[in-house]
Amino acid sequence: MQIQVVKSKIHRVKCTGAELNYIGSITIDEDLMDAANIIQGEKVQIVNNDNGERLDTYVIPGPRNSGEITLNGAAARKVAVGDTLILITYAFMDLEVARTFKPSLVFPDEATNLLR
């Protein structure tokens, strides 16, 4: 049996941009992506702590050490710049592997979105 578990989480980052006229996706500082073990094109769930919105999209890398967290396309309507977000990815794995799996959890500086 396979189950879906949290693979990685970037906890409490501020939305730095909302670009409606863009193809879609979320742009994430590549340093944060690396720290959370998230790759380009990976599906990510976005939880908006300020308005309760939840949505799924895919990741594109942003400039390193920029703190960028920009929602693009239709997703831009679900956030406001400055909203506090949680970004979560999931993975399917065998139940026995999942019992001991440890997700990559990242807690950036909440003011800058940079790694501490």
Side-chain angles (χ1 to χ4, degrees), residues 13-116:
V13 288
K14 298 289 184 191
C15 176
T16 62
E19 299 293 333
L20 184 59
N21 294 315
Y22 191 86
I23 287 176
S25 69
I26 181 172
T27 304
I28 302 174
D29 177 327
E30 200 164 3
D31 287 340
L32 293 174
M33 289 174 58
D34 289 347
N37 195 27
I38 296 172
I39 64 167
Q40 181 174 342
E42 187 169 357
K43 181 179 179 179
V44 64
Q45 180 182 46
I46 300 154
V47 179
N48 187 328
N49 280 5
D50 291 313
N51 65 17
E53 290 283 355
R54 289 177 171 254
L55 62 112
D56 296 333
T57 190
Y58 62 94
V59 176
I60 60 174
R64 289 188 180 279
N65 199 38
S66 66
E68 181 175 358
I69 304 290
T70 300
L71 277 288
N72 303 304
R77 294 197 185 274
K78 304 288 188 175
V79 299
V81 171
D83 282 357
T84 300
L85 309 176
I86 298 172
L87 313 177
I88 308 165
T89 65
Y90 300 89
F92 286 99
M93 58 187 72
D94 291 330
L95 181 60
E96 290 307 312
V97 173
R99 289 184 195 281
T100 59
F101 177 77
K102 302 290 186 227
S104 298
L105 306 176
V106 178
F107 299 89
D109 181 284
E110 288 188 41
T112 65
N113 292 345
L114 300 177
L115 297 172
R116 298 175 197 225

